[in-house]
Protein backbone atom coordinates (compact mmCIF):
# COMPACT_ATOMS: atom_id res chain seq x y z
CA UNK A 1 0.00 0.00 0.00
CA UNK A 2 1.10 3.54 -0.64
CA UNK A 3 -0.74 6.55 0.81
CA UNK A 4 0.64 9.98 -0.09
CA UNK A 5 -0.32 13.42 1.21
CA UNK A 6 0.90 16.90 0.33
CA UNK A 7 -0.20 20.16 1.97
CA UNK A 8 2.27 22.96 1.19
CA UNK A 9 0.20 25.66 2.91
CA UNK A 10 0.49 23.87 6.25
CA UNK A 11 3.65 21.75 6.04
CA UNK A 12 5.68 23.38 3.29
CA UNK A 13 7.27 21.31 0.53
CA UNK A 14 6.91 17.94 2.30
CA UNK A 15 5.41 14.80 0.80
CA UNK A 16 4.15 12.38 3.46
CA UNK A 17 4.14 8.74 2.36
CA UNK A 18 2.60 5.94 4.44
CA UNK A 19 3.09 2.25 3.73
CA UNK A 20 1.74 0.80 6.98
CA UNK A 21 -0.35 1.89 9.94
CA UNK A 22 1.34 3.78 12.78
CA UNK A 23 2.66 1.68 15.66
CA UNK A 24 3.55 2.54 19.26
CA UNK A 25 7.18 1.50 18.76
CA UNK A 26 7.95 3.72 15.78
CA UNK A 27 11.05 5.88 15.41
CA UNK A 28 12.67 8.04 12.72
CA UNK A 29 15.97 8.44 10.90
CA UNK A 30 16.78 11.36 8.60
CA UNK A 31 19.31 11.33 5.78
CA UNK A 32 19.56 14.25 3.38
CA UNK A 33 16.00 15.26 2.43
CA UNK A 34 14.33 12.01 3.48
CA UNK A 35 12.96 10.99 6.87
CA UNK A 36 12.39 7.25 7.30
CA UNK A 37 9.74 6.23 9.84
CA UNK A 38 10.12 2.66 11.01
CA UNK A 39 9.00 0.08 13.55
CA UNK A 40 11.77 -0.32 16.13
CA UNK A 41 10.78 -3.94 16.77
CA UNK A 42 11.59 -5.15 13.26
CA UNK A 43 13.13 -2.12 11.48
CA UNK A 44 10.32 -2.28 8.94
CA UNK A 45 9.53 1.04 7.25
CA UNK A 46 6.02 2.35 7.85
CA UNK A 47 6.45 5.66 6.04
CA UNK A 48 8.66 8.45 4.75
CA UNK A 49 8.74 12.24 4.58
CA UNK A 50 10.29 13.63 1.41
CA UNK A 51 11.41 17.27 1.43
CA UNK A 52 11.69 19.67 -1.52
CA UNK A 53 10.39 17.31 -4.22
CA UNK A 54 7.05 18.95 -4.97
CA UNK A 55 8.15 20.61 -8.21
CA UNK A 56 10.11 17.59 -9.40
CA UNK A 57 7.06 15.40 -8.80
CA UNK A 58 4.74 17.95 -10.40
CA UNK A 59 2.50 18.18 -7.31
CA UNK A 60 3.43 21.68 -6.14
CA UNK A 61 -0.10 22.96 -6.80
CA UNK A 62 -1.90 20.05 -5.15
CA UNK A 63 -3.18 19.74 -1.59
CA UNK A 64 -4.45 16.72 0.28
CA UNK A 65 -4.15 13.11 -0.82
CA UNK A 66 -2.12 12.67 -4.00
CA UNK A 67 -2.02 9.62 -6.25
CA UNK A 68 1.47 8.93 -7.56
CA UNK A 69 2.15 7.14 -10.83
CA UNK A 70 5.09 4.85 -11.52
CA UNK A 71 7.31 7.70 -12.79
CA UNK A 72 6.69 9.73 -9.64
CA UNK A 73 7.38 6.72 -7.42
CA UNK A 74 10.64 6.20 -9.35
CA UNK A 75 11.63 9.75 -8.30
CA UNK A 76 11.00 8.81 -4.68
CA UNK A 77 13.03 5.62 -5.03
CA UNK A 78 15.91 7.64 -6.49
CA UNK A 79 15.72 9.95 -3.48
CA UNK A 80 15.78 6.96 -1.13
CA UNK A 81 18.79 5.48 -2.87
CA UNK A 82 20.69 8.78 -2.92
CA UNK A 83 20.01 9.22 0.80
CA UNK A 84 21.43 5.76 1.50
CA UNK A 85 18.20 3.91 2.29
CA UNK A 86 17.63 0.43 0.85
CA UNK A 87 13.81 0.59 0.90
CA UNK A 88 11.86 0.45 -2.36
CA UNK A 89 8.39 1.87 -2.92
CA UNK A 90 5.85 0.54 -5.42
CA UNK A 91 3.09 2.52 -7.10
CA UNK A 92 -0.38 1.48 -5.99
CA UNK A 93 -3.18 2.76 -8.20
CA UNK A 94 -5.67 -0.05 -7.65
CA UNK A 95 -9.18 1.15 -6.65
CA UNK A 96 -9.70 1.31 -2.90
CA UNK A 97 -13.48 1.70 -2.91
CA UNK A 98 -14.97 -1.29 -4.68
CA UNK A 99 -18.21 -3.21 -4.97
CA UNK A 100 -18.31 -6.32 -2.84
CA UNK A 101 -20.63 -9.33 -2.73
CA UNK A 102 -21.36 -10.75 0.72
CA UNK A 103 -20.85 -14.45 0.08
CA UNK A 104 -21.31 -15.65 3.66
CA UNK A 105 -22.09 -14.23 7.08
CA UNK A 106 -22.03 -15.48 10.65
CA UNK A 107 -22.34 -13.98 14.10
CA UNK A 108 -19.27 -12.73 15.91
CA UNK A 109 -18.54 -15.08 18.85
CA UNK A 110 -17.79 -12.18 21.23
CA UNK A 111 -20.42 -9.62 20.26
CA UNK A 112 -24.19 -9.35 20.13
CA UNK A 113 -24.19 -7.01 17.12
CA UNK A 114 -21.07 -7.70 15.05
CA UNK A 115 -21.06 -10.12 12.11
CA UNK A 116 -18.19 -11.82 10.31
CA UNK A 117 -18.56 -11.76 6.56
CA UNK A 118 -16.73 -13.42 3.71
CA UNK A 119 -16.96 -10.80 0.98
CA UNK A 120 -15.95 -11.13 -2.67
CA UNK A 121 -14.06 -7.95 -3.70
CA UNK A 122 -12.63 -9.32 -6.93
CA UNK A 123 -9.58 -11.03 -5.45
CA UNK A 124 -8.68 -14.69 -5.88
CA UNK A 125 -10.76 -15.50 -2.81
CA UNK A 126 -13.20 -13.61 -0.56
CA UNK A 127 -11.84 -11.43 2.24
CA UNK A 128 -13.01 -11.45 5.83
CA UNK A 129 -14.65 -8.23 6.99
CA UNK A 130 -16.28 -7.68 10.38
CA UNK A 131 -19.38 -5.49 10.12
CA UNK A 132 -21.70 -4.07 12.76
CA UNK A 133 -24.44 -2.73 10.51
CA UNK A 134 -27.92 -3.99 11.45
CA UNK A 135 -28.94 -4.52 7.81
CA UNK A 136 -25.94 -6.62 6.67
CA UNK A 137 -27.02 -9.87 5.05
CA UNK A 138 -25.75 -12.65 2.80
CA UNK A 139 -26.09 -12.05 -0.94
CA UNK A 140 -25.92 -8.27 -0.80
CA UNK A 141 -23.91 -6.03 -3.10
CA UNK A 142 -22.13 -3.51 -0.91
CA UNK A 143 -19.39 -0.88 -1.03
CA UNK A 144 -16.08 -1.91 0.54
CA UNK A 145 -13.31 0.44 1.57
CA UNK A 146 -10.19 -1.69 1.16
CA UNK A 147 -6.96 -1.19 3.12
CA UNK A 148 -5.33 1.92 1.71
CA UNK A 149 -8.63 3.79 1.31
CA UNK A 150 -9.00 7.27 2.76
CA UNK A 151 -12.53 8.08 3.88
CA UNK A 152 -14.12 11.49 3.22
CA UNK A 153 -13.48 12.29 6.90
CA UNK A 154 -9.75 11.69 6.40
CA UNK A 155 -9.78 8.38 8.28
CA UNK A 156 -7.44 5.78 6.80
CA UNK A 157 -8.43 2.14 6.38
CA UNK A 158 -5.88 -0.51 7.36
CA UNK A 159 -6.14 -4.24 8.05
CA UNK A 160 -7.17 -4.69 11.67
CA UNK A 161 -9.34 -6.66 14.01
CA UNK A 162 -12.61 -6.19 15.87
CA UNK A 163 -13.07 -8.05 19.13
CA UNK A 164 -10.18 -10.36 18.29
CA UNK A 165 -11.32 -11.20 14.74
CA UNK A 166 -9.27 -10.09 11.72
CA UNK A 167 -10.99 -7.66 9.38
CA UNK A 168 -9.72 -6.65 5.93
CA UNK A 169 -11.39 -3.35 5.16
CA UNK A 170 -14.79 -1.85 5.92
CA UNK A 171 -18.28 -2.27 4.48
CA UNK A 172 -19.59 1.28 4.19
CA UNK A 173 -22.77 3.22 4.72
CA UNK A 174 -23.84 5.98 2.34
CA UNK A 175 -23.12 8.53 5.07
CA UNK A 176 -19.59 7.21 5.59
CA UNK A 177 -19.03 7.52 1.83
CA UNK A 178 -20.10 11.16 1.91
CA UNK A 179 -22.97 10.65 -0.55
CA UNK A 180 -25.27 13.71 -0.68
CA UNK A 181 -28.59 13.37 1.18
CA UNK A 182 -27.53 10.02 2.63
CA UNK A 183 -29.81 8.61 5.36
CA UNK A 184 -28.53 9.47 8.82
CA UNK A 185 -29.65 6.20 10.37
CA UNK A 186 -27.30 3.26 10.87
CA UNK A 187 -26.95 0.79 8.03
CA UNK A 188 -24.70 -0.04 5.11
CA UNK A 189 -25.41 1.02 1.54
CA UNK A 190 -26.90 -1.90 -0.41
CA UNK A 191 -26.58 -1.64 -4.20
CA UNK A 192 -29.02 -2.91 -6.82
CA UNK A 193 -26.38 -3.96 -9.33
CA UNK A 194 -22.65 -4.16 -9.94
CA UNK A 195 -19.81 -6.64 -10.14
CA UNK A 196 -17.54 -7.69 -7.29
CA UNK A 197 -14.23 -5.88 -7.55
CA UNK A 198 -15.59 -3.09 -9.73
CA UNK A 199 -14.52 0.40 -8.65
CA UNK A 200 -17.32 2.25 -6.88
CA UNK A 201 -18.52 5.22 -8.94
CA UNK A 202 -18.75 8.17 -6.54
CA UNK A 203 -19.94 10.51 -9.30
CA UNK A 204 -22.89 8.30 -10.23
CA UNK A 205 -23.69 7.78 -6.53
CA UNK A 206 -24.41 11.49 -6.09
CA UNK A 207 -27.88 10.87 -7.52
CA UNK A 208 -28.77 7.89 -5.33
CA UNK A 209 -30.84 9.90 -2.85
CA UNK A 210 -32.25 12.69 -5.03
Amino acid sequence: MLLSFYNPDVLGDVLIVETQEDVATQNTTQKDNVVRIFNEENDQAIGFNFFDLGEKLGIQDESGQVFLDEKQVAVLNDALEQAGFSDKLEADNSPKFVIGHVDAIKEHPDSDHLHITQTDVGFDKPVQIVCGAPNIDQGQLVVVALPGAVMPTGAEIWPGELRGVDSFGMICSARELGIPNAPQKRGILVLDDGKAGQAFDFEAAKNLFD
Side-chain angles (χ1 to χ4, degrees):
M1 286 179 288
L2 190 70
L3 294 179
S4 305
F5 304 91
Y6 189 72
N7 192 335
D9 293 336
V10 176
L11 300 175
D13 192 358
V14 182
L15 176 70
I16 297 172
V17 173
E18 302 175 12
T19 58
Q20 294 186 37
E21 191 173 14
D22 286 347
V23 295
T25 56
Q26 68 188 44
N27 207 336
T28 63
T29 298
Q30 180 166 0
K31 297 180 182 180
D32 296 336
N33 66 338
V34 180
V35 174
R36 180 179 187 262
I37 305 151
F38 62 95
N39 186 339
E40 285 187 312
E41 292 185 348
N42 55 18
D43 194 39
Q44 195 168 54
I46 61 176
F48 300 90
N49 294 339
F50 294 90
F51 295 86
D52 304 323
L53 287 179
E55 186 173 352
K56 191 171 184 178
L57 291 167
I59 61 172
Q60 66 271 24
D61 296 324
E62 297 191 36
S63 184
Q65 186 179 12
V66 294
F67 299 91
L68 304 175
D69 60 27
E70 292 186 2
K71 290 183 178 179
Q72 291 169 313
V73 172
V75 171
L76 300 185
N77 283 328
D78 286 342
L80 288 171
E81 184 177 0
Q82 291 173 17
F85 292 117
S86 60
D87 306 275
K88 292 290 184 182
L89 299 173
E90 294 184 6
D92 180 9
N93 293 312
S94 60
K96 299 305 178 188
F97 291 91
V98 302
I99 295 176
H101 181 270
V102 182
D103 288 353
I105 185 172
K106 65 180 181 180
E107 294 184 1
H108 192 295
D110 190 33
S111 171
D112 61 0
H113 71 281
L114 294 176
H115 293 85
I116 303 170
T117 76
Q118 301 298 322
T119 301
D120 181 0
V121 293
F123 295 168
D124 292 339
K125 60 181 181 180
V127 297
Q128 180 169 282
I129 302 176
V130 179
C131 180
N135 62 327
I136 185 74
D137 203 358
Q138 183 174 342
Q140 291 173 332
L141 287 172
V142 296
V143 181
V144 177
L146 295 172
V150 178
M151 303 299 294
T153 60
E156 300 170 5
I157 304 300
W158 300 96
E161 63 176 43
L162 287 172
R163 296 279 186 93
V165 175
D166 291 339
S167 185
F168 190 82
M170 182 174 77
I171 299 176
C172 304
S173 69
R175 179 175 58 181
E176 289 166 333
L177 293 167
I179 297 174
N181 304 314
Q184 297 304 299
K185 62 182 180 180
R186 291 181 63 230
I188 56 166
L189 175 63
V190 180
L191 303 174
D192 293 328
D193 53 46
K195 180 181 179 182
Q198 175 185 341
F200 178 64
D201 189 340
F202 278 89
E203 191 62 32
K206 290 180 178 180
N207 301 318
L208 282 174
F209 302 102
D210 285 349

